[in-house]
Amino acid sequence: MGSAQSKVAQLIETYELASMGAELERAWLGNTGERQSLRDLADRFNQALLMAAIRDAGMDVIDGEPANFYRLLTDDNVSAGKRIEARNRLDRAGIDVDTLEDQFVTYQAIRYYLTEVRGVSYDSESETEQVEQERGTIDRLRSRVETIVRDTVDRLNTADKLTVGEYRVFVSIDIRCQDCGMRYSISDLLDRGGCDCE
């Protein structure tokens, strides 16, 4: 299994992100502070791709703008209008947004790169892997509920049964432990690895 099969390795080469590999490795192992999840690392890597594309296009951006562009392109809570506006600005600067979005990687691609290409192993990786897989299932369900709600509201709006301006749908899943009384969003609970009962 060589780096030829790794999307992450190819992109590091294409975008000349030489230091990125070591940075991902350190962050995953927690060598430089708090350990970051594979999901966080995928976001971090994709943001670096976007920044490299902005750099290569010679686009003028202010501090924090690339991170905001990334949020506008990828965050489910961003309205369609705002997302289109962001895409258009990047397009005008000469960035092929469709190609860039195709290049964005998943946490699985990051894991493959770190374990197979860089040969990194993390002791509780299988545990982390299971949590990430279950989190993925919940995320898919949440986004399915969001889509159904949005479609329903749109249909009622079109049929004049409901009046609503530009809107956003929020689907939050909270868990409350009856023993310690603490309440967390499901993603916070998974990140923490438990409630206050410990």
Side-chain angles (χ1 to χ4, degrees), residues 45-59:
F45 184 76
N46 293 338
Q47 260 192 62
L49 288 188
L50 176 59
M51 286 173 80
I54 286 172
R55 176 200 69 203
D56 294 347
M59 181 181 180

Side-chain angles (χ1 to χ4, degrees), residues 8 11 28 40 45 50 85 153 158 162 164:
V8 174
L11 289 165
W28 192 45
D40 289 339
F45 184 76
L50 176 59
E85 207 176 295
V153 170
T158 310
L162 180 74
V164 65

Side-chain angles (χ1 to χ4, degrees), residues 24-192:
L24 292 171
E25 185 176 321
R26 282 195 303 271
W28 192 45
L29 295 173
N31 292 347
T32 49
E34 203 177 323
R35 186 169 178 258
Q36 289 196 295
S37 73
L38 291 165
R39 198 170 289 272
D40 289 339
L41 295 181
D43 275 338
R44 184 166 167 174
F45 184 76
N46 293 338
Q47 260 192 62
L49 288 188
L50 176 59
M51 286 173 80
I54 286 172
R55 176 200 69 203
D56 294 347
M59 181 181 180
D60 275 339
V61 286
I62 53 172
D63 228 15
E65 219 176 353
N68 192 43
F69 272 127
Y70 181 69
R71 185 184 64 80
L72 292 170
L73 292 178
T74 58
D75 190 338
D76 290 339
N77 293 326
V78 170
S79 73
K82 288 252 173 24
R83 180 164 297 159
I84 290 164
E85 207 176 295
R87 289 177 68 98
N88 289 344
R89 271 200 62 197
L90 292 167
D91 273 332
R92 280 198 300 275
I95 294 167
D96 183 343
V97 183
D98 289 333
T99 301
L100 184 65
E101 286 184 327
D102 284 342
Q103 289 174 330
F104 283 165
V105 302
T106 59
Y107 73 87
Q108 290 97 327
I110 296 283
R111 182 173 58 229
Y112 178 84
Y113 171 72
L114 289 171
T115 56
E116 301 298 330
V117 181
R118 292 188 72 91
V120 187
S121 66
Y122 185 80
D123 294 343
S124 66
E125 188 201 334
S126 57
E127 190 184 307
T128 311
E129 202 172 314
Q130 187 186 350
V131 171
E132 291 298 344
Q133 278 176 350
E134 304 293 5
R135 190 197 297 263
T137 306
I138 292 168
D139 285 346
R140 282 192 296 279
L141 282 170
R142 192 196 320 236
S143 100
R144 179 94 190 93
V145 169
E146 201 178 303
T147 305
I148 291 169
V149 171
R150 189 177 288 128
D151 289 349
T152 306
V153 170
D154 286 347
R155 271 201 309 278
L156 291 170
N157 197 13
T158 310
D160 290 336
K161 298 278 190 292
L162 180 74
T163 309
V164 65
E166 188 166 320
Y167 66 91
R168 283 158 62 177
V169 178
F170 297 95
V171 180
S172 65
I173 300 167
D174 291 349
I175 289 188
R176 182 170 183 268
C177 173
Q178 303 290 52
D179 294 339
C180 66
M182 289 309 290
R183 177 176 169 164
Y184 300 101
S185 73
I186 182 67
S187 55
D188 281 351
L189 188 63
L190 292 175
D191 287 341
R192 281 174 56 98

